[in-house]
Amino acid sequence: LTIMPPVMIIKDMGISDRIKELRAGIKLTQSDLATEVELTYVQIGGYETGKSSPSADVLQKLAAALYTTTDYLMNGSTMK
């Protein structure tokens, strides 16, 4: 008989949460970020609400604008 330790379930942030948190952390509006990555604020809002997902190309632009990596945006790796 194997006794397993209790498992703590923590709600993991998704890409939409990470984009929003990083954007707010550097005090950019959705409009500011959209201008920087050549999109519209509506598209940024869609990413932040999870209604749409950025393409690989857009993901790279978002990562650069938010001073992080695509891996952090997608997977929440601890290395920003």
Side-chain angles (χ1 to χ4, degrees):
L1 178 67
T2 304
I3 298 174
M4 301 294 291
V7 176
M8 182 185 300
I9 299 174
I10 300 173
K11 180 184 176 268
D12 188 28
M13 286 182 12
I15 187 171
S16 57
D17 300 312
R18 287 188 284 275
I19 292 170
K20 185 174 184 177
E21 180 181 81
L22 289 168
R23 177 186 58 75
I26 57 175
K27 299 186 182 344
L28 289 179
T29 65
Q30 288 180 344
S31 240
D32 294 335
L33 180 57
T35 298
E36 194 161 330
V37 297
E38 301 174 329
L39 297 173
T40 67
Y41 75 92
V42 174
Q43 288 170 290
I44 299 299
Y47 301 149
E48 290 186 0
T49 59
K51 291 182 180 176
S52 60
S53 298
S55 66
D57 182 50
V58 170
L59 194 63
Q60 289 178 341
K61 290 179 181 182
L62 287 169
L66 296 170
Y67 306 101
T68 192
T69 64
T70 55
D71 188 50
Y72 178 76
L73 287 178
M74 292 184 342
N75 305 313
S77 71
T78 56
M79 295 184 66
K80 286 187 182 180

